[in-house]
Amino acid sequence: MSRPRVTGPQATLPPAGLPGLDPALSRLVGVDGVLADAGATRTWHVLDTGDALAQRGIEPVGTIVAVHGNPTWSYLWRALVTASLARADAGRTAWRVVAVDQLEMGFSERTPLRRTLGQRIADLDALVSELGIPGPIVTLGHDWGGPVSLGWAVENRDRLAAVMALNTAVHHPEGAALPFALRVATARGMLAAGTTGTTAFLDVTLALADLDPAVRAAFRSPYATVARRRGIGGFVADIPATPEHESTPALHRMSAGLRELTVPALLLRGPKDPVFGEDHLDDLAERMPHADVHRFEGAGHLIAEERPYAEVVLDWLDEKVTDAAPEPSRRTRTRRRSAEASTGRLWDALAARRDDDDTAVIDMSTPRDAEPLRVSWRRLAARVDEIAAGLDAFGVRAGDRVSLLVQPGPTLTAALYACLRIGAVVVVADRGLGIRGLSRAVRGAVPDVVIGEAAGLAAARALGWPGRRISAASLPAAASRALGVEASLSDLARAGRGRALPEPPAADADAAVLFTSGSTGPAKGVVYTHAQLTALRDTLAAHFGVTAETGLVTGFAPFALLGPALGTRSATPDMDVSAPRTLTAAAVAAAVRASDARIVFLSPAAVANVVATASELTDADRTALERVQTFLSTGAPVGVDLLRRAQALMPNAVAHTPYGMTECLLVADVTLPEIEAAHGDRGVCVGRPLGTGEVRISPLDERGRAAGDTITDAGVTGEIVISAPHLKSGYFRLHLTDREARRGLGERWHRTGDVGHLDADGRLWVEGRLPHVITTADGPVTPVGVEQDVETVPTVSRAAAVGVGPAGRQVVVAVVEAGTRRPGLASPDLTDAVRAATAQRLAAVLVVPTLPTDIRHNSKIDRSRVAAWAERVLAGEKPSAL
């Protein structure tokens, strides 16, 4: 049965049967017109839960006024309306929700008036007054409903409790082009045809999300005729793209007023938005630096249709508005941590050795006259000061983000320390993320400046990354123009020579955004303050006894830049640090020989290839490696056999395998002798906490979830929870991820997502990742212990234990590398041997030529991908390559 079409200009109730919409919550409200509409009475359609709460005898704590954008209507907020009532019925915090249809939009009245931004803000105020909504009020806006709702908030601070916004913008820089989609919509000859004469604008907007056909039809229902689409065209025409536009003053008044708002603020964004870009979010966050920001990776413009925003909004209100004791601001929290962290600056050792002509940095990948490139402490300190002053002259200020797309070596070292010295925030995302992952990371960080080599700058140009461009090396004029390069580092150094440096940043200021490997989902930006990086330096120096004469060879990107901070010479071996498997034993020996290093720091994948290429070592290489005293490998679990084989190449070194992650680069440490002496526990022993760090366990329940209080009891498996002075400050614009990482904990604690247990001697054993816990009918099973059992079978080189089936009733499946070329079921003999090797009951044994691993470390098995493949195979699909 077809629904009657709404064609007239009058306000009306929505037709019955729209999915997810309760008709009882719709109402029409007559409101006296204001400003240019004075003297008229206009009828609005709103969704309002006020009467529903009153009928239940529930008094709300406040009201959420939700304002849609163009070309949606209040239907956009139906999930919030439903969720708010469900929570009230469950005895939780009750919020009244008033979701409006702006005049000319949705099922509100159509009028002859062309409404500007200022008019719409006044219209909303008139509606709020007519409804008699008392404080506290929380505003929520999307798209062009953002400026309308935030404009009301700025003008009504006395009743305001908080502001929230989804994918919106409040400022358009003078001279900047509109987003492409809006340029098309506003082009001469296209505005009327695309927005009102046809449904093109409506169709394109609704196509930005994968909507159910019935939901798409519901969004279209108020806009059946040209006359009823007039407001869509009016909204587009009201975009204040020039200083002369009549809505520009109202936009400027509102955007300036945001700087004075002190109420809690929440900004949610879908990054795949062709209308509002990362620069718009960056502008909002700069105006409201106290705002909580979360980017839903993979979501787009219609974020309310793609992600569970309603629960997020209501949870956030519980945390930030309803609770009597407000959470301290991020900056306050950071100061608390800084007070407990080490003092000093990361560049202190560099400054102390600025008159020293000894070697500071050695680059094995760019030899000169067949010799490694060597840079003295004197030259490095001078270069850092010159580039720092040059960056300041270039306009880079404290807090600006600078993306570094330069291979580890003297150039990157100088650029990084120069940025830190003037308070710029360095953004480090290496090529190991892959081009898509790297692009997602850089765009999401919204750098103000990109410093890169030619390949990185070409990618920045091709992929539309934001930021001014600086080349690492001097380029020909034509190449610079093609890449949009404004200057080279040499240009900046010349400009900075003799120029005074600005004041150094505060210890609690943000210093770096380091991106995770992306092996457990989209790479996340991890924020460190200067104090936390300094604490990392001090922890590393104290635990491993680093002195000026120690020397350091590092083929592990996160630590490749710490040599100058530690005050010891450092060498980067000849390798591609974004592809650890490119490192050879001969390259390590050459770096050790050139630097006379006593410490070698490598990733697990690099270690594997070093061992595999040991036959290429000369007698001189082996003699050099005999001088190494400490060998470190971290970033992923390292097998005992691989550690033994690596130590055989460095026979006088103590082999360490520290445990850490991007969020806390050093958590615990264990030596090979300690591992060999530890017996009887399942998992990988990673030792005891370093320095003043702490480790606790959040026990798993029967469904494999980390719940309850954290403990230090021996033998209890759960999520590993950590604390340390060098623990991250937070995640970059991932408020929900931050909150989950601290769930149920104090501010200085972090849920790692790893599972494991402590033994009776206080040592930590890692048993896998929390998402990879297998939830069987008999309880949770962690994968690493099973994999260790299976890898004792002589023909098995690597194994992955994964769960197949529904949560709570999963079965354990072993997927192994066993020299086969074709994936599928293991042979009966191999199946019997694998089952005999473990006490864990296995539903099946499958074989693959190669197990998939993460990009950066080339060693962490992608168990989620393996599990999905195993489920397909066991369901009867023809085995495909993994």
Side-chain angles (χ1 to χ4, degrees):
M1 178 177 174
S2 62
R3 300 187 184 97
R5 295 203 324 165
V6 177
T7 59
Q10 72 280 0
T12 183
L13 296 176
L18 300 184
L21 189 65
D22 182 354
L25 301 177
S26 277
R27 60 184 292 199
L28 299 179
V29 183
V31 181
D32 290 340
V34 293
L35 298 185
D37 217 12
T41 299
R42 301 304 184 190
T43 306
W44 296 61
H45 167 253
V46 301
L47 301 176
D48 187 354
T49 64
D51 288 345
L53 290 172
Q55 291 167 7
R56 292 165 165 81
I58 297 174
E59 182 70 26
V61 297
T63 301
I64 302 170
V65 176
V67 187
H68 67 86
N70 189 27
T72 56
W73 55 286
S74 58
Y75 185 70
L76 182 76
W77 308 115
R78 65 195 183 282
L80 178 61
V81 168
T82 301
S84 67
L85 288 176
R87 289 194 176 207
D89 287 338
R92 300 179 65 181
T93 306
W95 285 91
R96 178 185 178 186
V97 177
V98 175
V100 310
D101 282 4
Q102 299 195 63
L103 292 172
E104 328 303 341
M105 302 294 289
F107 290 97
S108 287
E109 182 179 349
R110 270 49 173 178
T111 77
L113 187 65
R114 182 176 177 274
R115 296 182 185 274
T116 63
L117 175 60
Q119 180 69 47
R120 290 194 175 279
I121 294 171
D123 290 341
L124 180 62
D125 186 58
L127 173 66
V128 170
S129 297
E130 178 63 33
L131 291 173
I133 300 174
I137 292 176
V138 175
T139 63
L140 170 63
H142 170 251
D143 187 83
W144 291 107
V148 175
S149 63
L150 291 170
W152 185 92
V154 166
E155 296 178 6
N156 292 273
R157 300 176 202 178
D158 56 327
R159 290 182 282 170
L160 192 66
V163 295
M164 305 181 291
L166 283 59
N167 284 54
T168 191
V170 299
H171 175 69
H172 186 75
E174 291 185 17
L178 286 173
F180 177 76
L182 294 181
R183 291 204 304 274
V184 172
T186 56
R188 180 175 296 180
M190 290 293 293
L191 178 59
T195 59
T196 59
T198 70
T199 59
F201 188 85
L202 179 63
D203 294 340
V204 169
T205 302
L206 296 179
L208 295 177
D210 184 16
L211 302 178
D212 181 273
V215 170
R216 185 178 294 109
F219 274 116
R220 295 170 61 92
S221 59
Y223 304 115
T225 65
V226 170
R228 290 193 63 83
R229 290 192 294 271
R230 183 175 174 274
I232 296 177
F235 248 125
V236 173
D238 193 46
I239 297 171
T242 66
E244 297 76 24
H245 194 283
E246 58 189 319
S247 284
T248 296
L251 186 70
H252 285 176
R253 197 163 51 247
M254 176 270 299
S255 58
L258 292 181
R259 299 186 186 278
E260 300 174 9
L261 282 187
T262 58
V263 296
L266 176 66
L267 305 174
L268 303 180
R269 170 166 165 76
K272 294 173 63 177
D273 188 338
V275 181
F276 301 114
E278 296 289 349
D279 54 336
H280 293 119
L281 176 63
D282 201 42
D283 174 73
L284 268 168
E286 189 273 331
R287 293 174 189 278
M288 296 186 288
H290 65 288
D292 294 315
V293 181
H294 189 83
R295 300 169 72 256
F296 287 96
E297 200 62 57
H301 181 70
L302 292 175
I303 183 176
E305 298 297 320
E306 299 180 80
R307 293 294 185 271
Y309 84 96
E311 296 297 332
V312 171
V313 161
L314 294 170
D315 284 345
W316 181 82
L317 288 174
D318 280 349
E319 178 185 355
K320 299 288 185 173
V321 178
T322 308
D323 291 347
E327 182 182 356
S329 69
R330 179 179 175 277
R331 185 61 63 197
T332 300
R333 299 193 306 258
T334 303
R335 287 197 180 102
R336 289 179 185 172
R337 284 193 295 269
S338 300
E340 301 172 14
S342 301
T343 58
R345 307 285 184 170
L346 199 64
W347 57 85
D348 285 346
L350 179 60
R353 300 190 69 174
R354 64 168 50 256
D355 295 324
D356 192 334
D357 289 317
D358 285 348
T359 298
V361 178
I362 303 171
D363 185 4
M364 305 297 295
S365 63
T366 55
R368 293 184 179 179
D369 300 325
E371 290 294 321
L373 174 62
R374 296 174 180 269
V375 178
S376 70
W377 290 99
R378 183 191 300 273
R379 180 63 187 130
L380 180 60
R383 191 70 168 177
V384 167
D385 285 352
E386 291 168 354
I387 294 175
L391 286 168
D392 181 59
F394 189 70
V396 179
R397 297 292 177 260
D400 286 354
R401 291 183 293 278
V402 179
S403 179
L404 299 175
L405 303 176
V406 184
Q407 282 274 82
T411 300
L412 177 59
T413 301
L416 181 138
Y417 282 88
C419 290
L420 294 177
R421 173 59 185 81
I422 64 171
V425 180
V426 296
V427 178
V428 181
D430 68 52
R431 288 189 293 131
L433 294 174
I435 191 62
R436 290 182 62 187
L438 178 61
S439 184
R440 184 187 299 116
V442 173
R443 288 180 64 87
V446 202
D448 299 285
V449 174
V450 175
I451 300 176
E453 294 165 341
L457 294 172
R461 185 77 165 187
L463 297 171
W465 295 346
R468 302 169 70 189
R469 309 286 196 263
I470 297 171
S471 61
S474 297
L475 300 175
S480 291
R481 286 194 299 272
L483 296 174
V485 170
E486 298 182 46
S488 68
L489 287 177
S490 293
D491 295 334
L492 295 185
R494 281 192 295 272
R497 203 161 293 151
R499 181 185 172 96
L501 288 168
E503 285 296 312
D508 63 349
D510 290 345
V513 179
L514 310 180
F515 276 86
T516 61
S517 67
S519 59
T520 57
K524 301 181 287 290
V526 178
V527 180
Y528 279 91
T529 65
H530 286 267
Q532 290 153 0
L533 289 181
T534 302
L536 172 64
R537 174 202 67 189
D538 294 347
T539 299
L540 185 65
H543 185 74
F544 294 107
V546 181
T547 68
E549 298 307 315
T550 301
L552 176 67
V553 169
T554 176
F556 186 50
F559 290 98
L561 298 162
L562 279 176
L566 292 164
T568 194
R569 63 189 171 278
S570 58
T572 305
D574 186 7
M575 65 176 295
D576 180 352
V577 293
S578 65
R581 287 177 178 169
T582 61
L583 182 62
T584 64
V588 173
V592 170
R593 189 164 49 247
S595 62
D596 193 26
R598 298 295 184 264
I599 299 179
V600 173
F601 209 143
L602 307 176
S603 73
V607 174
N609 200 55
V610 166
V611 168
T613 57
S615 61
E616 302 170 6
L617 292 172
T618 66
D619 289 344
D621 290 338
R622 293 183 182 277
T623 299
L625 292 177
E626 287 175 0
R627 296 199 293 270
V628 177
Q629 298 172 351
T630 303
F631 161 62
L632 313 171
S633 184
T634 190
V638 185
V640 173
D641 180 62
L642 182 59
L643 280 177
R644 288 171 178 153
R645 294 167 67 193
Q647 189 176 30
L649 301 178
M650 295 170 272
N652 297 314
V654 177
H656 294 252
T657 174
Y659 166 67
M661 59 218 65
T662 310
E663 293 85 348
C664 190
L665 290 166
L666 290 173
V667 175
D669 181 43
V670 67
T671 65
L672 177 57
E674 289 170 335
I675 293 173
E676 291 174 325
H679 298 290
D681 284 63
R682 309 280 281 171
V684 176
C685 181
V686 297
R688 297 177 179 84
L690 279 75
T692 59
E694 298 177 70
V695 173
R696 299 180 69 86
I697 300 297
S698 179
L700 299 181
D701 63 15
E702 69 280 357
R703 299 296 298 272
R705 298 167 299 194
D709 295 334
T710 59
I711 60 174
T712 55
D713 298 8
V716 178
T717 294
E719 185 176 15
I720 298 168
V721 176
I722 62 173
S723 179
H726 52 279
L727 178 66
K728 64 171 173 57
S729 171
Y731 292 106
F732 184 73
R733 294 183 179 173
L734 290 172
H735 168 71
L736 301 181
T737 310
D738 259 336
R739 190 174 67 186
E740 176 58 24
R742 301 191 307 269
R743 174 175 47 85
L745 308 173
E747 179 58 34
R748 291 182 58 256
W749 290 86
H750 171 71
R751 292 182 177 273
T752 65
D754 290 336
V755 288
H757 69 274
L758 296 166
D759 65 17
D761 294 320
R763 295 171 300 199
L764 177 64
W765 296 70
V766 178
E767 302 178 50
R769 291 284 299 167
L770 188 61
H772 303 154
V773 171
I774 304 163
T775 56
T776 73
D778 297 323
V781 173
T782 53
V784 170
V786 179
E787 292 164 356
Q788 290 173 322
D789 293 341
V790 172
E791 288 169 355
T792 62
V793 175
T795 54
V796 173
S797 55
R798 277 199 305 184
V802 298
V804 171
R809 291 184 292 153
Q810 289 184 319
V811 294
V812 183
V813 175
V815 183
V816 303
E817 291 179 9
T820 182
R821 293 184 178 180
R822 293 185 177 181
L825 291 171
S827 68
D829 288 346
L830 179 58
T831 298
D832 289 345
V834 168
R835 283 180 167 152
T838 180
Q840 177 62 50
R841 182 179 178 184
L842 300 177
V845 179
L846 305 177
V847 293
V848 291
T850 306
L851 286 164
T853 60
D854 67 296
I855 297 173
R856 180 186 283 180
H857 301 296
N858 303 143
S859 57
K860 294 180 181 178
I861 295 173
D862 188 343
R863 295 191 188 95
S864 297
R865 182 174 164 190
V866 174
W869 175 84
E871 186 139 14
R872 293 195 301 271
V873 171
L874 295 180
E877 287 189 19
K878 182 179 178 180
S880 58
L882 250 174

